[in-house]
mmCIF file with all atom_site columns, all heavy atoms in Angstrom:
data_model
loop_
_atom_site.group_PDB
_atom_site.id
_atom_site.type_symbol
_atom_site.label_atom_id
_atom_site.label_alt_id
_atom_site.label_comp_id
_atom_site.label_asym_id
_atom_site.label_entity_id
_atom_site.label_seq_id
_atom_site.pdbx_PDB_ins_code
_atom_site.Cartn_x
_atom_site.Cartn_y
_atom_site.Cartn_z
_atom_site.occupancy
_atom_site.B_iso_or_equiv
_atom_site.pdbx_formal_charge
_atom_site.auth_seq_id
_atom_site.auth_comp_id
_atom_site.auth_asym_id
_atom_site.auth_atom_id
_atom_site.pdbx_PDB_model_num
ATOM 1  N N   . LEU A 1 211 ? 15.527 -16.950 11.567 1.00 98.00 ? 280 LEU A N   1
ATOM 2  C CA  . LEU A 1 211 ? 16.098 -17.101 10.246 1.00 98.00 ? 280 LEU A CA  1
ATOM 3  C C   . LEU A 1 211 ? 17.255 -16.047 10.015 1.00 98.00 ? 280 LEU A C   1
ATOM 4  O O   . LEU A 1 211 ? 18.344 -16.353 9.525  1.00 98.00 ? 280 LEU A O   1
ATOM 5  C CB  . LEU A 1 211 ? 15.059 -16.848 9.162  1.00 98.00 ? 280 LEU A CB  1
ATOM 6  C CG  . LEU A 1 211 ? 15.644 -17.047 7.737  1.00 98.00 ? 280 LEU A CG  1
ATOM 7  C CD1 . LEU A 1 211 ? 16.099 -18.425 7.466  1.00 98.00 ? 280 LEU A CD1 1
ATOM 8  C CD2 . LEU A 1 211 ? 14.543 -16.593 6.661  1.00 98.00 ? 280 LEU A CD2 1
ATOM 9  N N   . ILE A 1 212 ? 17.061 -14.800 10.425 1.00 98.00 ? 281 ILE A N   1
ATOM 10 C CA  . ILE A 1 212 ? 18.074 -13.769 10.382 1.00 98.00 ? 281 ILE A CA  1
ATOM 11 C C   . ILE A 1 212 ? 19.341 -14.259 11.092 1.00 98.00 ? 281 ILE A C   1
ATOM 12 O O   . ILE A 1 212 ? 20.478 -14.115 10.624 1.00 98.00 ? 281 ILE A O   1
ATOM 13 C CB  . ILE A 1 212 ? 17.562 -12.376 10.910 1.00 98.00 ? 281 ILE A CB  1
ATOM 14 C CG1 . ILE A 1 212 ? 16.482 -11.921 9.887  1.00 98.00 ? 281 ILE A CG1 1
ATOM 15 C CG2 . ILE A 1 212 ? 18.715 -11.401 11.038 1.00 98.00 ? 281 ILE A CG2 1
ATOM 16 C CD1 . ILE A 1 212 ? 15.665 -10.759 10.480 1.00 98.00 ? 281 ILE A CD1 1
ATOM 17 N N   . ALA A 1 213 ? 19.183 -14.712 12.333 1.00 98.00 ? 282 ALA A N   1
ATOM 18 C CA  . ALA A 1 213 ? 20.311 -15.180 13.098 1.00 98.00 ? 282 ALA A CA  1
ATOM 19 C C   . ALA A 1 213 ? 21.022 -16.402 12.445 1.00 98.00 ? 282 ALA A C   1
ATOM 20 O O   . ALA A 1 213 ? 22.308 -16.403 12.325 1.00 98.00 ? 282 ALA A O   1
ATOM 21 C CB  . ALA A 1 213 ? 19.888 -15.576 14.511 1.00 98.00 ? 282 ALA A CB  1
ATOM 22 N N   . GLN A 1 214 ? 20.288 -17.280 11.948 1.00 98.00 ? 283 GLN A N   1
ATOM 23 C CA  . GLN A 1 214 ? 20.844 -18.465 11.397 1.00 98.00 ? 283 GLN A CA  1
ATOM 24 C C   . GLN A 1 214 ? 21.630 -18.085 10.065 1.00 98.00 ? 283 GLN A C   1
ATOM 25 O O   . GLN A 1 214 ? 22.713 -18.586 9.870  1.00 98.00 ? 283 GLN A O   1
ATOM 26 C CB  . GLN A 1 214 ? 19.743 -19.499 10.993 1.00 98.00 ? 283 GLN A CB  1
ATOM 27 C CG  . GLN A 1 214 ? 19.267 -20.336 12.189 1.00 98.00 ? 283 GLN A CG  1
ATOM 28 C CD  . GLN A 1 214 ? 18.128 -21.273 11.836 1.00 98.00 ? 283 GLN A CD  1
ATOM 29 O OE1 . GLN A 1 214 ? 17.283 -20.879 11.038 1.00 98.00 ? 283 GLN A OE1 1
ATOM 30 N NE2 . GLN A 1 214 ? 18.115 -22.459 12.404 1.00 98.00 ? 283 GLN A NE2 1
ATOM 31 N N   . GLU A 1 215 ? 21.072 -17.206 9.286  1.00 98.00 ? 284 GLU A N   1
ATOM 32 C CA  . GLU A 1 215 ? 21.642 -16.853 7.973  1.00 98.00 ? 284 GLU A CA  1
ATOM 33 C C   . GLU A 1 215 ? 22.949 -16.030 8.287  1.00 98.00 ? 284 GLU A C   1
ATOM 34 O O   . GLU A 1 215 ? 23.765 -15.915 7.341  1.00 98.00 ? 284 GLU A O   1
ATOM 35 C CB  . GLU A 1 215 ? 20.704 -16.117 7.155  1.00 98.00 ? 284 GLU A CB  1
ATOM 36 C CG  . GLU A 1 215 ? 19.612 -16.937 6.522  1.00 98.00 ? 284 GLU A CG  1
ATOM 37 C CD  . GLU A 1 215 ? 20.169 -17.961 5.552  1.00 98.00 ? 284 GLU A CD  1
ATOM 38 O OE1 . GLU A 1 215 ? 21.135 -17.638 4.784  1.00 98.00 ? 284 GLU A OE1 1
ATOM 39 O OE2 . GLU A 1 215 ? 19.752 -19.141 5.521  1.00 98.00 ? 284 GLU A OE2 1
ATOM 40 N N   . ALA A 1 216 ? 23.088 -15.405 9.444  1.00 98.00 ? 285 ALA A N   1
ATOM 41 C CA  . ALA A 1 216 ? 24.319 -14.727 9.789  1.00 98.00 ? 285 ALA A CA  1
ATOM 42 C C   . ALA A 1 216 ? 25.396 -15.654 10.392 1.00 98.00 ? 285 ALA A C   1
ATOM 43 O O   . ALA A 1 216 ? 26.506 -15.232 10.675 1.00 98.00 ? 285 ALA A O   1
ATOM 44 C CB  . ALA A 1 216 ? 24.011 -13.622 10.799 1.00 98.00 ? 285 ALA A CB  1
ATOM 45 N N   . GLY A 1 217 ? 25.061 -16.926 10.635 1.00 98.00 ? 286 GLY A N   1
ATOM 46 C CA  . GLY A 1 217 ? 25.979 -17.909 11.183 1.00 98.00 ? 286 GLY A CA  1
ATOM 47 C C   . GLY A 1 217 ? 25.758 -18.398 12.584 1.00 98.00 ? 286 GLY A C   1
ATOM 48 O O   . GLY A 1 217 ? 26.644 -19.062 13.133 1.00 98.00 ? 286 GLY A O   1
ATOM 49 N N   . ALA A 1 218 ? 24.667 -17.910 13.196 1.00 98.00 ? 287 ALA A N   1
ATOM 50 C CA  . ALA A 1 218 ? 24.386 -18.284 14.575 1.00 98.00 ? 287 ALA A CA  1
ATOM 51 C C   . ALA A 1 218 ? 23.763 -19.733 14.654 1.00 98.00 ? 287 ALA A C   1
ATOM 52 O O   . ALA A 1 218 ? 23.149 -20.131 13.723 1.00 98.00 ? 287 ALA A O   1
ATOM 53 C CB  . ALA A 1 218 ? 23.489 -17.262 15.261 1.00 98.00 ? 287 ALA A CB  1
ATOM 54 N N   . VAL A 1 219 ? 23.960 -20.279 15.776 1.00 98.00 ? 288 VAL A N   1
ATOM 55 C CA  . VAL A 1 219 ? 23.223 -21.532 16.059 1.00 98.00 ? 288 VAL A CA  1
ATOM 56 C C   . VAL A 1 219 ? 21.900 -21.162 16.819 1.00 98.00 ? 288 VAL A C   1
ATOM 57 O O   . VAL A 1 219 ? 21.895 -20.302 17.728 1.00 98.00 ? 288 VAL A O   1
ATOM 58 C CB  . VAL A 1 219 ? 24.040 -22.467 16.966 1.00 98.00 ? 288 VAL A CB  1
ATOM 59 C CG1 . VAL A 1 219 ? 23.322 -23.744 17.246 1.00 98.00 ? 288 VAL A CG1 1
ATOM 60 C CG2 . VAL A 1 219 ? 25.407 -22.784 16.337 1.00 98.00 ? 288 VAL A CG2 1
ATOM 61 N N   . VAL A 1 220 ? 20.845 -21.765 16.405 1.00 98.00 ? 289 VAL A N   1
ATOM 62 C CA  . VAL A 1 220 ? 19.519 -21.427 16.924 1.00 98.00 ? 289 VAL A CA  1
ATOM 63 C C   . VAL A 1 220 ? 18.793 -22.725 17.385 1.00 98.00 ? 289 VAL A C   1
ATOM 64 O O   . VAL A 1 220 ? 18.702 -23.659 16.573 1.00 98.00 ? 289 VAL A O   1
ATOM 65 C CB  . VAL A 1 220 ? 18.646 -20.748 15.901 1.00 98.00 ? 289 VAL A CB  1
ATOM 66 C CG1 . VAL A 1 220 ? 17.228 -20.497 16.462 1.00 98.00 ? 289 VAL A CG1 1
ATOM 67 C CG2 . VAL A 1 220 ? 19.262 -19.366 15.506 1.00 98.00 ? 289 VAL A CG2 1
ATOM 68 N N   . SER A 1 221 ? 18.386 -22.798 18.574 1.00 98.00 ? 290 SER A N   1
ATOM 69 C CA  . SER A 1 221 ? 17.681 -24.037 19.084 1.00 98.00 ? 290 SER A CA  1
ATOM 70 C C   . SER A 1 221 ? 16.799 -23.636 20.277 1.00 98.00 ? 290 SER A C   1
ATOM 71 O O   . SER A 1 221 ? 16.747 -22.507 20.734 1.00 98.00 ? 290 SER A O   1
ATOM 72 C CB  . SER A 1 221 ? 18.747 -25.026 19.549 1.00 98.00 ? 290 SER A CB  1
ATOM 73 O OG  . SER A 1 221 ? 19.348 -24.649 20.767 1.00 98.00 ? 290 SER A OG  1
ATOM 74 N N   . THR A 1 222 ? 16.101 -24.636 20.808 1.00 98.00 ? 291 THR A N   1
ATOM 75 C CA  . THR A 1 222 ? 15.471 -24.434 22.120 1.00 98.00 ? 291 THR A CA  1
ATOM 76 C C   . THR A 1 222 ? 16.622 -24.680 23.206 1.00 98.00 ? 291 THR A C   1
ATOM 77 O O   . THR A 1 222 ? 17.736 -25.045 22.833 1.00 98.00 ? 291 THR A O   1
ATOM 78 C CB  . THR A 1 222 ? 14.386 -25.444 22.352 1.00 98.00 ? 291 THR A CB  1
ATOM 79 O OG1 . THR A 1 222 ? 14.982 -26.793 22.442 1.00 98.00 ? 291 THR A OG1 1
ATOM 80 C CG2 . THR A 1 222 ? 13.338 -25.499 21.260 1.00 98.00 ? 291 THR A CG2 1
ATOM 81 N N   . LEU A 1 223 ? 16.180 -24.386 24.483 1.00 98.00 ? 292 LEU A N   1
ATOM 82 C CA  . LEU A 1 223 ? 17.171 -24.610 25.474 1.00 98.00 ? 292 LEU A CA  1
ATOM 83 C C   . LEU A 1 223 ? 17.593 -26.061 25.786 1.00 98.00 ? 292 LEU A C   1
ATOM 84 O O   . LEU A 1 223 ? 18.590 -26.343 26.339 1.00 98.00 ? 292 LEU A O   1
ATOM 85 C CB  . LEU A 1 223 ? 16.596 -23.974 26.825 1.00 98.00 ? 292 LEU A CB  1
ATOM 86 C CG  . LEU A 1 223 ? 16.650 -22.460 26.948 1.00 98.00 ? 292 LEU A CG  1
ATOM 87 C CD1 . LEU A 1 223 ? 15.785 -21.966 28.102 1.00 98.00 ? 292 LEU A CD1 1
ATOM 88 C CD2 . LEU A 1 223 ? 18.181 -22.029 27.108 1.00 98.00 ? 292 LEU A CD2 1
#
Side-chain angles (χ1 to χ4, degrees):
L280 181 64
I281 291 167
Q283 285 177 320
E284 287 295 320
V288 181
V289 178
S290 72
T291 67
L292 282 167

